[in-house]
């Protein structure tokens, strides 16, 4: 395996609203313009053999946006799923939604369930869309799940370790992201994958999401390839070599 290539990339797709406002367009136009960029990232991951991609599309906090924007975004997600799933499936992509899916409309929930079922056997790329997702929500839902098993007597509390806890999180058995990308200029994690980003390399760009292109994706990968990942060890312990 190529150690200079991330196995899992996680992206906060930020800047759609500003992209639209700068052109005198409604914010929704920026969200719509973000869809081909998602497609480009999927294609690049497939082409390069990156096995997992996780995209932050709608946070737990985004519900507080104006009702019209929330409603437009939900319609966009339903339409995007309907339109894109056949091609994703044809390319061997396994799609999953992570987040508090019960907060989504019944229509979106059923589209998500159908897309997940349809693509479940695929293995070329694991694509996670975070919808109504928050890192704190994720930690709490994992804690609740484990607490219920302890209360039912099926899980000894002492057997809860980092691996067991990690498995109860939304990303479950996936490897942690190696590379995190945030577009739009902010230098924050913003309640994305709090547990899973512990050792992730963080890359930020001022580029707004609709302008994020192949060259920008390559710049993020080049940044990652140049990192020396030590996981708390010294360079000498690692033989001074970059390691994934
Ligand atoms: C953040 O930009 C972006 C969102 C809240 C929506 C992201 C959604 C897409 C890119 C569509 C992708 C769809 C699928 C199915 C994955 P912002 O509105 O916060 O921008 P701003 O910071 O400029 O206001």
């Amino acid at each position: 395996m190529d150690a200079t290539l991330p196995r899992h990339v996680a992206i906060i797709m930020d800047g759609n609203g500003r992209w639209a406002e700068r052109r005198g367009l409604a914010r929704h136009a920026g969200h719509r313009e973000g869809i081909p960029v998602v497609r480009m990232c999927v294609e690049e991951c497939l082409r390069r053999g990156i096995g997992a991609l996780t995209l932050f599309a709608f946070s737990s906090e985004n519900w507080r946006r104006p009702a019209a924007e929330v409603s437009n975004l939900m319609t966009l997600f339903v339409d995007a799923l309907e339109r894109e799933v056949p091609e994703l499936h044809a390319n061997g992509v396994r799609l999953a939604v992570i987040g508090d899916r019960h907060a989504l409309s019944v229509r979106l929930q059923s589209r998500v369930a159908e897309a997940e079922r349809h693509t479940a056997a695929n293995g070329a790329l694991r694509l996670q869309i975070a919808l109504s997702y928050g890192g704190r929500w994720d930690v709490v839902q994992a804690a609740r799940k484990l607490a219920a098993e302890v209360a039912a007597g099926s899980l000894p509390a002492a057997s809860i370790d980092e691996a067991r806890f990690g498995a109860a999180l939304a990303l479950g058995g996936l490897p942690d992201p190696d590379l995190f990308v945030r577009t739009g200029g902010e230098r924050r994690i913003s309640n994305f994958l709090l547990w899973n980003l512990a050792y992730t390399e963080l890359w930020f760009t001022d580029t707004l999401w609709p302008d994020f292109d192949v060259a920008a994706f390559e710049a993020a990968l080049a940044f990652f390839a140049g990192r020396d990942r030590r996981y708390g060890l010294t360079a000498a312990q690692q033989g001074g070599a970059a390691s994934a």
Side-chain angles (χ1 to χ4, degrees):
M1 203 190 78
D2 180 357
T4 65
L5 199 65
R7 284 173 306 170
H8 184 175
V9 178
I11 307 182
I12 295 186
M13 310 178 286
D14 198 10
N16 294 343
R18 277 165 288 161
W19 184 93
E21 282 160 7
R22 282 176 196 176
R23 286 162 178 76
L25 301 170
R27 292 174 58 80
H28 185 58
H31 296 313
R32 231 182 300 119
E33 202 69 21
I35 300 274
V37 184
V38 170
R39 207 177 297 130
M40 177 277 287
C41 290
V42 168
E43 285 165 6
E44 287 302 306
C45 287
L46 283 167
R47 194 165 74 74
R48 295 164 188 274
I50 294 169
L53 175 66
T54 300
L55 303 173
F56 207 178
F58 193 85
S59 73
S60 313
E61 293 73 30
N62 286 153
W63 290 111
R64 295 199 289 262
R65 290 195 173 193
E69 182 171 348
V70 170
S71 158
N72 277 332
L73 272 167
M74 293 300 144
T75 305
L76 186 75
F77 297 142
V78 170
D79 292 349
L81 279 174
E82 253 168 39
R83 208 166 342 100
E84 307 289 340
V85 165
E87 198 180 337
L88 291 172
H89 182 54
N91 283 291
V93 177
R94 176 176 171 184
L95 187 128
V97 162
I98 59 169
D100 183 8
R101 67 178 66 199
H102 302 297
L104 306 175
S105 71
V106 172
R107 184 150 173 255
L108 183 50
Q109 283 186 50
S110 79
R111 288 285 179 284
V112 165
E114 170 59 19
E116 289 178 335
R117 192 199 56 72
H118 191 56
T119 62
N122 293 336
L125 172 68
R126 300 276 303 261
L127 173 63
Q128 291 63 238
I129 309 290
L131 281 182
S132 191
Y133 177 87
R136 290 181 176 176
W137 165 85
D138 198 359
V139 169
V140 168
Q141 70 78 27
R144 275 202 194 133
K145 205 155 52 186
L146 297 175
E149 289 177 37
V150 171
S154 56
L155 178 70
S159 72
I160 300 175
D161 56 12
E162 290 186 15
R164 188 72 193 73
F165 196 87
L169 290 163
L171 286 183
L174 280 168
D176 286 339
D178 301 299
L179 172 64
F180 162 96
V181 170
R182 180 174 187 151
T183 63
E186 306 292 357
R187 269 72 176 153
R188 293 194 283 273
I189 305 283
S190 294
N191 200 18
F192 198 22
L193 304 158
L194 294 180
W195 173 282
N196 314 79
L197 294 176
Y199 288 101
T200 304
E201 301 294 337
L202 308 178
W203 190 78
F204 300 92
T205 175
D206 292 338
T207 301
L208 305 177
W209 180 250
D211 293 327
F212 189 76
D213 57 10
V214 175
F217 192 82
E218 282 172 349
L221 294 181
F223 157 83
F224 178 79
R227 302 307 297 162
D228 179 13
R229 308 188 76 203
R230 290 207 293 271
Y231 300 103
L233 303 182
T234 66
Q237 282 175 302
Q238 297 218 306
S243 159

